[in-house]
Amino acid sequence: MRQIRAIIADDEEALRSYLKKKLLSAWPELAITGEAGDGPAALRLIADSRPDIAFLDVQMPGATGLEVARRIAGTCAVVFVTAYNKYAVEAFESEALDYLLKPVTDERIEKTVKRLKERLNTPHLSAASVSEAIEKIAFALQKPAVFLQWIKAQHKGGVRLIPVNEICYFKATDKYTTVRTRDGEFLIRKTIKELEEELEPGQFWRVHRSAIVNVRAIQTVADSLSGSCMIKFKDIQEDLSVSRAYSHLFRQM
Amino acid sequence: MVMDSFNSPPIRFKVTPGRIFFMLLGNTLIALFMTGLHSESRFLTSFVYSQCMGISIATCVIFVVNYFKVSTLTVQTILVIAAIVVGIGIGVTAGLSAVNFIWSPDSSIWRPEKLKSQAPNLLYSLLFGAIVSYVFISVQKMSDEKIRRLEVEKNAAITEIKLLQSQMEPHFLFNTLSNILSLIDGDPRKARNMLEAFTAFLRASLVTARSETITVSQEMDVVKNYLEIFRMRMGDRLRYSIEIPESLQSLRIPPLLIQPLVENAVKHGLEPSVSGGNLLIRAGRDGDRMRIMVTDSGIGINELSPGNGIGLENIRKRLDLLYQGRSRISFEENQPSGVRVAIEIPYETK
């Protein structure tokens, strides 16, 4: 029988050598043919040495273990190594993949080794089922942000980073858009229309042709005699008017 | 109790069936008292009169308390006195009309001698109105204060839990423990160093999270132990320096204010970077302001980087609670890469 070859990828050197030691005592015939300290290095190593098994730390610099697994899906068996708590670990329970919890215990290693031996004797799992399992984990661990979280604004020769939660409102001014926070006003180039598309619609409402408001920053909304309403904010003194076309948003509140 | 309430916030009445019952009961007691005082007056007359008076005063007071926006209890007290006077005016008119309507519908009450005889009644009404209003307002104020105190206590408890939770983040905990475990056989000295740093970090976190304020140097103990753990874990990928002048070391600040910023810099900036980077913690005084800056040269923030999950809201809330708007926190891009966070708080030597 040919020798089974494996690689270990983890950014922490001590953890790599510990896992290597544990693996070799549970599976003396296994050959660890390489180690990598970050995502890109792991990808290169796998491409070069074509191992049967890749032990991948989930959190690695450059590219996470998940990203590495995605790229190599189907080419070798993948075992994730992770320190995540038991709730997140549920996502790892799958037919197509294995995982080891940090700190790794002898018991757990033996179980994994047994499973790996069985797996390598049966025909390869389809790349599709592996990919599916990886996507499931990726979804549970790191739901990617789809809406803007930060606004970048030029300010005093530097670039100010503003968390969107701290913004009271956006308002269009001739060429730019004014971002109002309780610390002051900042100018950005993004238009109201672009912002409306990129911000989370549940939290940021268009209240005027030229304004978007953060509903979490609102203190009260008062009706005015003309049929429009005025928004008062928690943290800033000035008010913002809601045009009649949008005032229905605040009715029955 | 009245003295310390000059600047206390105004109260709001809740009109409940129980309170209406007490008001009616109070009116009845006053009627009984008045009947006892003037043997010639009948109880029923006093009863009707007293109810009119009581209801009218109560309505005016409740109206003033609940619908006039004022800033302090003092202003509200003045308004309440005015409301009592107006209430008495309406009450007298209503009461006399009612009594007159029931018992002598033919004669007019609006004769001078009849009105003159009301003078002592007016004084009594003013007295009772003031006493009853005072009792009601005091009771309301006490329950308001109790609610506020409970709120403050609840917030403090939640803050402590959140702080401790952030310190006991499972990923950090288990990674550190696995490191220690993996070093025990091969490099017991390093394992011991790491365990010591970890223990010191946990102890310092527990102590500081329970205090309202701590000194800058206490906070730095937490930060240094945290960074030591990461320096051992990340090796030469993490380089850090702390530049805080001696004069600022004993300054008191809210606990775990700087540590989460350091944690963010390591977790979101430096750890994900293949080549790692530098971390600089710097504090300085600018007149009556103190400025603390945490700068990293990590991978930086893009528009979709996590913004909510980095404990910012918690920091801001605690700053507001302690400095009431006199603090600032801002984020800036560092050159050529990474993030600079600056916190500005009043320089106070308490």
Side-chain angles (χ1 to χ4, degrees), chain B residues 147-172:
Chain B
I147 290 170
R148 214 169 297 136
R149 208 185 55 235
L150 288 175
E151 195 91 345
V152 168
E153 279 168 14
K154 193 185 85 186
N155 281 340
I158 290 175
T159 304
E160 189 189 324
I161 291 169
K162 279 199 175 152
L163 285 178
L164 288 177
Q165 248 171 12
S166 70
Q167 301 304 88
M168 308 299 161
E169 200 252 320
H171 201 251
F172 166 65

Side-chain angles (χ1 to χ4, degrees), chain A residues 12 59 149 152 165-166, chain B residues 171 179 303 308 316 333:
Chain A
E12 298 186 42
Q59 280 210 330
Q149 302 290 310
K152 292 190 179 193
N165 280 346
E166 289 180 9
Chain B
H171 201 251
N179 256 283
E303 290 178 324
N308 297 333
R316 202 176 262 280
E333 267 181 6

Side-chain angles (χ1 to χ4, degrees), chain A residues 148 151 164 167-172 177-180 188 190 192 195 199 204 207 210-214 240:
Chain A
L148 288 188
I151 294 290
V164 291
I167 292 164
C168 299
Y169 64 78
F170 296 89
K171 200 172 184 178
T177 300
T178 302
V179 181
R180 181 72 164 100
I188 57 170
K190 268 200 167 103
I192 289 290
L195 286 166
L199 288 162
F204 292 90
V207 295
S210 62
I212 292 175
V213 68
N214 177 2
L240 190 72

